[in-house]
């Protein structure tokens, strides 16, 4: 009897009924023979897939059992999607995989492949094995040195052992065990570095742009002609600070699975479009997308034929289709698709038709939107039962033998579930955040020192050539934009795997000229233009970083970031957190932003909102105001990305790009010389350290600010100095992490603090500064001058909502009058 949802009992009962109704095979088949005359799988290989599917099914049943008494915390299962076991079997275990959350059977097969240290069954582009070929190491095959079992012998009972480790991994995730191998109890994800399974924490398509970036990077690294690049199964590329160990072989392909409802997500559209765009342009991206189509997004149906029509219509992406209830057919089609992607290095999509059993999750009452007839129809299409039926029809096993394997696996899974219940959980906030964003400032400083030594030593000749015989330190005073440009060039010289990319950054050199000349110096493979889509720009960076590169993507304007910010929040910042550092996506995202552009306005080009960035745990946010800060801060970000895998946002104040003067026209006080490599160590700027300017006695007032506020505050301090007021101006430089120690020290020195915040009063940086003062027990006077809670309008009207020099001076005088 079906209840509100297809329950574990329903599923178990129907499976047993199905097997009980199967007739005995007419004759037994040798395990080494194909299951049918034209099948690509032997009996042993199909039996392996059955065991993986059963393990996945029993894990789902165990998850519901654990949840029934409050010890399980995750019930989104893989039941109905077990056909993806054949997908995993047709791929190589060294093909990196970003898996949908219904990938239990895929994960089991991948774990068994790696444990056996040999592909099982044959690789995607390998021929079907002959009948006398050795069976999969994961199968219960006879000893190859002994006499083969005669046809008609009984299939061995119990095939759980090859999948026991994978089952324990999954169960540990369900109970939030701190011993879970990838996330350590932080989330239930499919992931393990040694399995080349990259954890995806929100599989509503947000991982697809990363998959495209991984494919682009894998292909780029494959084409590199670098001596000594092969190291085992991975690739070691470059030397010095930019050396990267690429964990996948040169001919690897990327596999990325997702659900049918995700086809409609903007991130999926961006990924498909980017893959097709690059393919049309002649660049190769070896990605196999796998759409597991059960027809439902929780309760919302995918219209009949919509998913196929959508996937077939994607330009530049080849379409393949398979039925997840046909393991032999799914394996054959996946073989074909993987071989095509591997050979041509081009993207393809496998449309795998599946069903969903037991609802979306434990709390989902399907009766609210599905009829009993629909639920019964899905039970009739159970892929595990379909595999059992094929095994019995082929004479590989009897129904009784398969049921015995099913029950043995169920008992073993329940036993493991009881074992992991006693494992420790994360015990403190420190335990939870330990993997979030490691900071090793001494190593970062050492990396900067090493870069300086290379630039002035063995790399000096190459550096001089790259700068056309005139290194930037000999070019005289520079603007902010020029300093960033020179620092990017030095970064490209020192980090062989660094790449600069974004809209208009290559041929044009950026809309503000910040990347001008870099493409000519370093080539189109390292400095290149992307299509106009910020989600894809960041996705390329995420995938490239994961593949061993050091990506420096540019977002053309801060306002353009907002349609893609989940790539930073949900994908970039979570990678180390949910993999305990086993995977990382080092990245320095350059963003032109903030307000005060003259003659070029509107909120899209004068966006003063950074709240969404400051809210992302672990993200580094740098805001260089002056040319002499820009270069060392960028070097720090690059070193931190390379050393710690940091995700850094380098927010560049547009209005200061080409500013030359500070106090009066023609004074050149906002220009600065570029430091020669010998001074990089002395000028190193650690993450989270402010810069302090002292004007006059510096005893009367502390102004805390950043970005454009630094220039305005210095001008205000000069005016106050004429009135006998001594001011210290604190340039935060880092908005995350805030330089709290510097804030407290400089505020306590005067007892009067004016926070000049060019962002908005609500959600602005100033709130964080004031909170830091309160938390530290600051007892002096404090006041804020901040932007109005408004978008920035066009033209002169902008002055009404932005911080002005006059407002700073007035705020200072109010404080001084207390």
């Amino acid at each position: 009897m079906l209840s509100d949802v297809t329950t574990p009992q329903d599923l178990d009962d129907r499976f047993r009924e199905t097997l009980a109704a199967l007739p005995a095979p007419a004759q037994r088949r040798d395990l080494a023979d194909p299951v049918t005359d034209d099948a690509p799988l032997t009996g042993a290989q199909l039996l392996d897939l059955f065991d993986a599917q059963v393990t996945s099914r029993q894990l789902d049943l165990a998850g519901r059992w654990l949840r029934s008494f409050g010890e399980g915390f995750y019930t989104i299962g893989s039941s109905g999607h077990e056909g993806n076991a054949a997908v995993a079997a047709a791929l190589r275990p060294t093909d990196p995989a970003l898996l949908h959350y219904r990938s239990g059977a895929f994960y089991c097969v991948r774990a068994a492949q790696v444990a056996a240290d040999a592909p099982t069954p044959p690789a995607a582009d390998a021929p079907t094995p002959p009948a006398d070929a050795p069976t999969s190491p994961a199968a219960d095959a006879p000893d190859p040195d002994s006499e083969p079992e005669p046809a008609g012998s009984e299939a061995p009972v119990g095939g759980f052992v090859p999948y026991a480790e994978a089952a324990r991994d999954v169960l540990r995730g369900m109970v939030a065990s701190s011993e879970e191998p990838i996330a350590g109890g932080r989330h239930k994800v499919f992931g393990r570095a040694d399995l080349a399974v990259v954890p995806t924490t929100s599989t509503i398509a947000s991982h697809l742009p990363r998959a495209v970036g991984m494919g682009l990077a894998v292909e780029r690294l494959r084409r590199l002609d670098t001596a000594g690049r092969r190291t085992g199964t991975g690739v070691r590329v470059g030397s010095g600070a930019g050396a990267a160990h690429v964990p996948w072989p040169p001919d690897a392909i990327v596999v990325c699975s997702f659900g049918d409802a995700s086809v409609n997500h903007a991130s999926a559209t961006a990924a498909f479009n980017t893959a097709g765009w690059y393919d049309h342009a002649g660049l190769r991206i070896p990605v196999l997308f796998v759409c597991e189509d059960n027809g439902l997004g929780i309760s919302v149906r995918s219209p009949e034929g919509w998913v196929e029509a959508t996937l077939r219509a994607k330009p530049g992406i080849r379409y393949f289709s398979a039925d997840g209830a046909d393991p032999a057919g799914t394996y054959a089609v996946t073989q074909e698709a993987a071989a095509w992607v591997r050979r041509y290095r081009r993207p393809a999509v496998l449309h795998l038709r599946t069903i969903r059993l037991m609802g979306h999750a434990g709390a989902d009452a399907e009766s609210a939107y599905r009829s009993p007839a629909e639920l019964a129809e899905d039970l009739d299409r159970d892929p595990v039962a379909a595999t059992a039926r094929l095994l019995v029809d082929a004479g590989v096993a009897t129904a009784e033998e398969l049921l015995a394997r099913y029950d043995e696996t169920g008992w073993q899974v329940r036993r493991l579930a009881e074992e992991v219940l006693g494992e420790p959980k994360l015990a403190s906030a420190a335990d939870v955040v330990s993997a979030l964003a490691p900071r090793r400032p001494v190593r970062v400083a050492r990396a900067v020192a090493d870069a300086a030594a290379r630039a002035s030593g063995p790399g000096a000749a190459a550096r001089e050539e790259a700068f056309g015989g005139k290194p930037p330190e000999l070019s005289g005073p520079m603007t902010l934009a020029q300093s960033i440009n020179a620092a990017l060039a030095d970064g490209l010289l020192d980090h062989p795997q660094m790449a600069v990319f974004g809209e208009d950054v290559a041929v044009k050199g950026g809309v503000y000229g910040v990347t001008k000349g870099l493409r000519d110096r370093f080539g189109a493979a390292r400095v290149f233009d992307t299509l106009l889509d910020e989600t894809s720009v960041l996705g390329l960076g995420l995938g490239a970083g994961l593949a061993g590169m050091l990506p420096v993507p540019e977002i053309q304007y801060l306002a353009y970031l907002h349609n893609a910010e989940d790539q930073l929040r949900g994908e970039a910042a979570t990678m180390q957190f949910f993999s305990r550092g086993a995977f990382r996506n080092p990245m320095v995202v350059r963003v032109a932003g903030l307000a005060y552009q003259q003659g070029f306005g509107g909120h899209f080009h004068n966006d003063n909102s950074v709240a969404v960035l400051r809210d992302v745990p672990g993200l580094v946010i740098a805001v260089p105001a002056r040319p002499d800060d820009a270069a060392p801060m960028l070097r720090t970000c690059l070193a931190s990305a390379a050393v710690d895998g940091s995700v850094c946002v380098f927010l560049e104040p547009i209005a200061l790009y080409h500013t030359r003067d500070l106090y009066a026209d023609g004074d050149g006080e906002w220009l600065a010389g570029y430091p020669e490599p010998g001074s990089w160590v002395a000028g190193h700027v650690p993450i989270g350290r402010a810069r302090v300017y002292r004007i006059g006695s510096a005893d009367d007032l502390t102004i805390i600010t950043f970005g454009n506020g630094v220039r305005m505050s210095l001008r205000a301090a000069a005016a106050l100095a004429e009135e006998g007021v001594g001011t210290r101006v604190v340039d935060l430089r880092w908005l995350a992490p805030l330089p709290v120690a510097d804030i407290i020290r400089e505020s306590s020195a005067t007892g009067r603090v004016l926070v000049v915040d060019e962002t908005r009063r609500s959600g602005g940086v100033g709130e964080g500064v004031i909170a830091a003062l309160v938390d530290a027990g600051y007892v002096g006077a404090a006041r804020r001058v901040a932007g109005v809670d408004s978008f920035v309008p066009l033209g002169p009207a902008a002055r009404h909502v932005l911080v002005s020099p006059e407002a700073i001076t007035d705020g200072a005088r109010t404080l001084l009058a207390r």
Side-chain angles (χ1 to χ4, degrees):
M1 177 74 68
L2 291 172
S3 56
D4 287 348
V5 62
T6 307
T7 66
Q9 190 63 51
D10 292 331
L11 202 53
D12 183 74
D13 288 347
R14 181 62 68 93
F15 182 77
R16 294 176 183 279
E17 291 170 6
T18 299
L19 263 63
L22 295 177
Q27 63 180 34
R28 298 300 294 262
R29 184 182 300 266
D30 192 291
L31 291 176
D33 289 341
V35 290
T36 63
D37 291 341
D38 58 349
L41 292 169
T42 67
Q45 291 166 341
L46 184 60
L47 201 56
D48 276 346
L49 295 187
F50 175 77
D51 288 334
Q53 291 178 323
V54 167
T55 301
S56 179
R57 176 63 56 82
Q58 294 288 4
L59 286 169
D60 288 356
L61 300 181
R64 302 296 178 111
W65 173 69
L66 289 165
R67 186 70 186 92
S68 69
F69 54 90
E71 290 290 350
F73 307 101
Y74 196 91
T75 53
I76 297 178
S78 305
S79 294
H81 285 244
E82 290 92 350
N84 58 39
V87 175
L91 295 163
R92 295 178 182 172
T94 51
D95 290 330
L98 297 89
L99 297 181
H100 186 244
Y101 46 46
R102 301 193 188 277
S103 298
F106 185 113
Y107 186 78
C108 287
V109 171
R110 175 62 65 88
Q113 288 174 326
V114 173
D117 198 28
T120 71
D125 46 358
T128 301
D132 58 351
T135 58
S136 158
D140 294 330
D143 185 341
D145 295 327
S146 65
E147 290 295 321
E149 290 188 52
S153 63
E154 291 188 358
V157 175
F160 175 70
V161 172
Y163 309 110
E165 186 177 3
R168 191 185 296 273
D169 289 350
V170 175
L171 290 166
R172 282 172 162 165
M174 289 179 180
V175 302
S177 166
S178 61
E179 295 183 15
E180 191 271 335
I182 189 69
R186 292 168 181 83
H187 196 36
K188 190 269 182 187
V189 296
F190 292 114
R192 250 177 59 187
D194 61 325
L195 305 185
V197 176
V198 179
T200 58
T201 60
S202 175
T203 51
I204 312 302
S206 64
H207 59 305
L208 271 67
R210 180 198 293 278
V212 175
M214 288 172 65
L216 189 67
V218 164
E219 184 61 11
R220 178 186 181 276
L221 295 171
R222 186 180 78 88
R223 291 171 177 268
L224 279 178
D225 185 17
T226 306
R229 62 187 182 278
R230 291 303 302 271
T231 305
T233 60
V235 181
R236 189 85 187 175
V237 188
S239 60
H245 182 72
V246 184
W248 311 300
D251 63 345
I253 66 173
V254 178
V255 59
C256 176
S257 62
F258 55 98
D260 55 290
S262 294
V263 165
N264 307 298
H265 199 281
S267 296
T269 299
F272 290 133
N273 184 69
T274 302
W277 189 88
Y278 276 114
D279 185 78
H280 188 79
L283 295 175
R284 297 303 178 224
I285 299 184
V287 176
L288 177 61
F289 298 103
V290 181
C291 178
E292 298 186 16
D293 180 5
N294 62 30
L296 289 163
I298 305 184
S299 67
V300 179
R301 302 174 191 271
S302 294
E304 185 66 32
W306 169 251
V307 176
E308 178 176 351
T310 299
L311 296 177
R312 282 187 179 276
K314 301 300 182 187
I317 300 176
R318 183 159 177 172
Y319 177 85
F320 295 86
S321 178
D323 181 359
D326 175 9
T330 295
Y331 178 79
V333 172
T334 306
Q335 268 195 322
E336 180 186 1
W340 188 87
V341 175
R342 200 179 308 279
R343 177 179 179 183
Y344 295 107
R345 320 301 294 170
R346 297 179 63 187
V349 61
L350 170 61
H351 182 193
L352 184 66
R353 290 173 174 82
T354 67
I355 57 171
R356 188 188 72 190
L357 299 172
M358 295 197 296
H360 175 73
D364 179 25
E366 291 186 285
S367 62
Y369 56 90
R370 302 186 77 192
S371 68
E374 284 183 272
L375 298 176
E377 183 181 354
D378 273 359
L379 280 170
D380 290 339
R381 296 169 56 212
D382 182 349
V384 183
T387 302
R389 190 177 296 112
L390 179 56
L391 285 165
V392 172
D393 290 346
V396 175
T398 67
E400 292 78 11
E401 290 164 355
L402 296 180
L403 187 57
R405 298 173 86 94
Y406 176 83
D407 286 335
E408 171 70 12
T409 297
W411 181 85
Q412 295 285 2
V413 167
R414 184 68 64 92
R415 179 182 60 82
L416 286 178
E418 292 175 348
E419 286 181 12
V420 302
L421 279 176
E423 292 183 349
K425 307 293 193 293
L426 294 168
S428 66
D431 287 346
V432 173
V433 303
S434 62
L436 177 62
R439 297 274 184 265
R440 293 177 289 187
V442 174
R443 293 191 185 185
V444 170
R446 187 183 305 134
V448 171
D450 292 343
R454 286 188 291 271
S456 59
R463 184 171 184 265
E464 185 169 349
E465 181 181 356
F467 284 108
K470 189 177 183 181
E473 58 267 24
L474 301 180
S475 298
M478 290 185 169
T479 63
L480 180 70
Q482 291 168 333
S483 182
I484 294 171
N485 177 277
L488 286 170
D490 268 325
L492 286 161
L493 284 165
D494 192 58
H495 298 272
Q497 292 315 303
M498 177 175 158
V500 174
F501 53 90
E503 302 160 19
D504 301 302
V505 304
V507 178
K508 183 179 175 64
V511 293
Y512 294 97
V514 180
T515 56
K516 186 176 181 179
L518 296 180
R519 180 179 182 271
D520 294 337
R521 296 182 201 172
F522 298 98
R526 301 190 65 196
V527 182
F528 57 91
D529 290 322
T530 65
L531 73 175
L532 196 156
D533 177 55
E534 285 72 29
T535 294
S536 296
V537 171
L538 294 177
L540 291 175
L542 291 171
L546 197 66
M549 296 176 63
L550 180 55
V552 183
E554 178 188 289
I555 300 298
Q556 199 166 83
Y557 289 101
L558 178 59
Y560 298 172
L561 174 67
H562 299 304
N563 61 43
E565 56 205 21
D566 187 51
Q567 290 296 298
L568 290 179
R569 185 202 66 84
E571 290 292 320
T574 62
M575 180 52 69
Q576 296 203 80
F577 182 70
F578 287 121
S579 71
R580 295 194 292 182
F583 292 100
R584 57 187 216 166
N585 35 225
M587 188 163 64
V588 179
V589 185
R590 293 182 47 251
V591 183
L594 303 177
Y596 298 99
Q597 288 192 83
Q598 298 297 317
F600 187 15
H603 75 283
F604 269 109
H605 302 99
N606 282 288
D607 186 7
N608 62 339
S609 174
V610 298
V612 71
L613 293 173
R614 292 191 63 246
D615 187 53
V616 178
L619 199 69
V620 174
I621 307 174
V623 183
R626 292 183 59 99
D628 47 348
D629 278 332
M633 289 174 69
L634 183 54
R635 270 191 289 277
T636 297
C637 287
L638 292 172
S640 182
V643 170
D644 291 329
S646 302
V647 180
C648 304
V649 174
F650 200 73
L651 181 58
E652 302 164 6
I654 298 172
L656 299 178
Y657 269 149
H658 306 299
T659 296
R660 307 177 68 85
D661 306 320
L662 174 55
Y663 300 113
D665 291 345
D667 67 14
E669 292 287 336
W670 205 254
L671 302 174
Y674 188 86
E676 52 88 22
S679 64
W680 291 1
V681 173
H684 173 57
V685 178
I687 290 174
R689 289 303 305 273
R691 179 175 180 175
V692 181
Y693 300 85
R694 290 175 170 80
I695 293 89
S697 67
D699 292 334
D700 302 312
L701 174 68
T702 299
I703 299 178
I704 300 175
T705 187
F706 64 96
N708 294 285
V710 177
R711 185 169 180 266
M712 290 188 292
S713 295
L714 288 172
R715 293 164 69 100
L720 292 169
E722 294 179 358
E723 303 171 12
V725 176
T727 305
R728 52 188 69 198
V729 175
V730 180
D731 177 4
L732 294 170
R733 297 195 293 196
W734 308 92
L735 303 188
L738 279 172
V740 174
D742 297 329
I743 290 171
I744 303 305
R745 183 189 64 250
E746 300 302 325
S747 300
S748 300
T750 64
R752 296 186 184 93
V753 176
L754 179 67
V755 180
V756 176
D757 179 7
E758 64 175 291
T759 62
R760 299 166 191 166
R761 179 165 290 273
S762 298
V765 177
E767 290 183 340
V769 174
I770 296 295
L773 290 170
V774 172
D775 289 346
Y778 172 75
V779 294
R783 185 178 178 86
R784 273 195 300 161
V785 176
V788 174
D789 290 343
S790 169
F791 299 106
V792 180
L794 191 66
R799 301 191 193 107
H800 300 305
V801 298
L802 296 176
V803 172
S804 67
E806 294 77 18
I808 297 172
T809 305
D810 291 345
R813 289 179 176 140
T814 300
L815 270 176
L816 292 165
R818 290 186 177 182

